[in-house]
Amino acid sequence: MKKTIPFLLVAVVLTACGPTDTPEKKDVPSVEELASDPARLKELRQQCKTDRATLGDVLCNRVAEATRKRFYGDGNTPYTPPENPPKF
């Protein structure tokens, strides 16, 4: 009995240290690739909304970053506010 408890503990530890069920996808496109293809970006955005678990967090985060990059552009704002505020 004294020898079976440590054996069972070792078995539990080795079982818990097994590989994960979801392998990481290595072929995830970059943000620049996604931002340059608006049709694919739109399709992936819809898929991330409906089934994020299947696509994975890495891809959906890159899709969100590419969408933000397309929306904001390079970050420079062409608008310059007037010196005097308008009077209503």
Side-chain angles (χ1 to χ4, degrees):
M1 183 70 174
K2 290 181 180 178
K3 292 183 180 181
T4 58
I5 292 176
F7 177 73
L8 290 175
L9 288 175
V10 169
V12 169
V13 168
L14 290 176
T15 304
C17 295
T20 59
D21 292 337
T22 55
E24 294 293 325
K25 295 180 181 179
K26 302 292 181 190
D27 58 342
V28 177
S30 68
V31 173
E32 289 77 22
E33 291 174 5
L34 291 170
S36 66
D37 189 3
R40 176 159 181 190
L41 183 62
K42 184 177 180 180
E43 177 184 327
L44 286 173
R45 281 182 62 211
Q46 187 63 32
Q47 289 177 1
C48 282
K49 287 180 184 178
T50 57
D51 198 15
R52 186 178 181 102
T54 302
L55 292 177
D57 285 337
V58 175
L59 178 61
C60 289
N61 288 342
R62 288 189 184 178
V63 167
E65 182 66 23
T67 303
R68 186 203 60 78
K69 186 175 183 178
R70 283 189 53 84
F71 184 76
Y72 287 119
D74 60 359
N76 296 332
T77 345
Y79 173 73
T80 305
E83 293 178 12
N84 299 327
K87 295 182 180 180
F88 294 103

